[in-house]
Amino acid sequence: MSPENVQEEAQYEDQCGRMFTGTYAELALESQSGVVAFKFGGTSLLGAKRMLHAAGLVKSAAQTARVVVVVSAMKGVTDQLLALAKLVDSGNLADAKRKADALLRAHSDVLAELQLDELDHQRVWNDLRLLGRDLLHEVSAPPRVSSEALHDSLASFGERFSARLFAAALDACDVPSAPVASSEFVLTCDTFRDAKPDLAETRERGRDVLQPLLESGLVPVVTGFVGATRDGRVTTLGRNSSDYSGAIIAHVVNADELVIWTDVDGVFTANPNESREARLLHQLSYEEAHALAAAGAKVLHEDVLPLAAESEMVVWVRNTFNPEFRGTRIGPAMNRMAQENLQRGDA
Ligand code: ASP
Ligand code: MG
């Protein structure tokens, strides 16, 4: 690593938080297209400190590649939104309203902890407030849409809040960014709670939205989990589907690497919390990963690997809280240089 790189690493630590030491650059070398997608799960985004830490990882990658970020809701938020949908269903609007208020407060607490300067804080707070107002609006009168449609519309707020906050965390780390609602371009059928995307049209529409942002040097922060029907009704792709959203959005921007940032070191042969025999797998082909998933290992959302295999995208599963660890690589055979890098890093 050159002395310049070392200097830059020190800088990341100063600006963002703090916990980050920066080894992503080596991995990014594998990307031929120069575009990578990062998907952060809900545990990685739980609170300002974690958001800033994750933002530091994006900052590091953005030195050598264009980065698109896909976010989950903060951990626990989707469950709360679904509980809220139940309250509305049963006509308990007073409790639903209280829950909606509490959710807005929880997100504005995170905003306060990001410690943005006054003007940025105001701007983000304004966006959060508008989201909170829309959420309240949806729960404050008996629904005019089907309960299924309302369910998805309410569930989408978690990702909408977290995308806004994560974009703010990036800005706080001097990474210019823009929050993007995936409902703008992820076109789906109207099977609410389990909507299927039309990949061809999503790709076309998504490029129109994301390409100009990338070209002007911004990191798009896209909501996972969420799509919309052709007539603009919000849908969701099913529980835990934001990994799949990550793959879809990577596909849209022709990224050749998708990093699923999660809270474990990678893919294991068994659940590491349950079995002492569990071994971490450093490298898997799509077929091997698929076979593991079919045998019941919790690898990734089931639709990720077929899409990744189709476009030969490399999927990494890495631990946000242990970013120096390389994690699991799922993909086609590596070129020699990448292989050497991987081995060097492991040594
Ligand atoms: N927030 C959604 C869920 O909890 C999607 C995801 O996190 O993958 O199911
Ligand atoms: Mg998840």
Side-chain angles (χ1 to χ4, degrees):
M1 197 176 271
S2 71
E4 291 102 4
N5 284 344
V6 173
Q7 223 173 27
E8 272 167 6
E9 277 185 11
Q11 252 180 12
Y12 309 148
E13 267 189 324
D14 287 343
Q15 290 167 353
C16 309
R18 312 162 195 193
M19 289 144 72
F20 178 64
T21 47
T23 53
Y24 186 79
E26 270 179 71
L27 272 183
L29 291 179
E30 206 186 335
S31 171
Q32 303 284 312
S33 68
V35 187
V36 299
F38 274 14
K39 182 260 165 173
F40 289 102
T43 334
S44 304
L45 300 172
L46 188 57
K49 200 166 163 205
R50 291 185 184 184
M51 285 209 183
L52 288 167
H53 171 65
L57 298 172
V58 174
K59 179 165 185 160
S60 171
Q63 312 293 314
T64 55
R66 289 182 172 180
V67 189
V68 176
V69 172
V70 178
V71 291
S72 290
M74 293 197 304
K75 189 175 170 61
V77 168
T78 307
D79 287 339
Q80 290 183 50
L81 286 163
L82 296 183
L84 195 155
K86 271 210 181 115
L87 289 172
V88 178
D89 260 345
S90 62
N92 191 344
L93 299 184
D95 280 350
K97 188 174 170 307
R98 258 193 296 280
K99 244 185 181 322
D101 278 332
L103 277 166
L104 173 60
R105 228 170 353 205
H107 288 93
S108 66
D109 286 349
V110 175
L111 170 61
E113 284 159 21
L114 284 176
Q115 299 185 350
L116 306 181
D117 58 39
E118 183 63 26
L119 210 70
D120 290 336
H121 177 95
Q122 272 313 321
R123 205 173 298 138
V124 181
W125 167 237
N126 207 36
D127 290 346
L128 292 185
R129 206 171 44 81
L130 291 177
L131 277 174
R133 195 195 60 184
D134 289 351
L135 178 61
L136 263 183
H137 181 75
E138 294 204 17
V139 303
S140 57
R144 273 169 306 171
V145 295
S146 72
S147 121
E148 301 273 283
L150 181 72
H151 171 286
D152 276 10
S153 172
L154 291 175
S156 73
F157 277 89
E159 273 71 10
R160 292 160 74 187
F161 276 124
S162 70
R164 187 64 197 91
L165 284 172
F166 193 66
L170 284 172
D171 282 330
C173 293
D174 295 326
V175 180
S177 68
V180 177
S182 51
S183 49
E184 264 188 67
F185 66 87
V186 176
L187 174 68
T188 72
C189 67
D190 65 358
T191 309
F192 294 101
R193 302 177 196 220
D194 190 24
K196 300 288 174 235
D198 175 330
L199 286 177
E201 202 169 332
T202 294
R203 197 160 137 112
E204 245 172 65
R205 293 170 165 214
R207 282 204 184 143
D208 290 346
V209 175
L210 298 176
Q211 218 55 48
L213 297 175
L214 286 172
E215 273 157 26
S216 58
L218 296 170
V219 171
V221 180
V222 186
T223 53
F225 184 47
V226 178
T229 60
R230 194 173 290 285
D231 58 359
R233 287 171 297 156
V234 170
T235 55
T236 64
L237 312 185
R239 288 308 304 266
N240 299 314
S241 60
S242 51
D243 291 351
Y244 183 38
S245 303
I248 294 171
I249 279 129
H251 181 66
V252 166
V253 296
N254 278 334
D256 51 5
E257 279 185 68
L258 164 66
V259 186
I260 306 275
W261 288 102
T262 180
D263 52 5
V264 290
D265 275 341
V267 177
F268 287 81
T269 50
N271 184 336
N273 299 321
E274 285 164 14
S275 161
R276 292 179 61 202
E277 317 281 73
R279 245 178 351 98
L280 182 98
L281 296 158
H282 289 273
Q283 167 132 6
L284 291 167
S285 66
Y286 300 116
E287 295 74 24
E288 287 163 337
H290 190 74
L292 266 177
K298 199 181 155 290
V299 180
L300 290 168
H301 184 277
E302 61 183 6
D303 294 327
V304 172
L305 293 173
L307 180 56
E310 193 188 305
S311 48
E312 297 220 321
M313 178 198 301
V314 175
V315 180
W316 290 91
V317 179
R318 301 189 63 181
N319 190 345
T320 319
F321 307 107
N322 187 14
E324 271 135 71
F325 194 78
R326 287 177 177 276
T328 299
R329 177 191 186 277
I330 304 167
M334 274 188 278
N335 67 37
R336 221 187 62 227
M337 193 171 88
Q339 190 121 29
E340 280 167 11
N341 278 338
L342 185 65
Q343 278 158 3
R344 238 200 328 275
D346 276 350

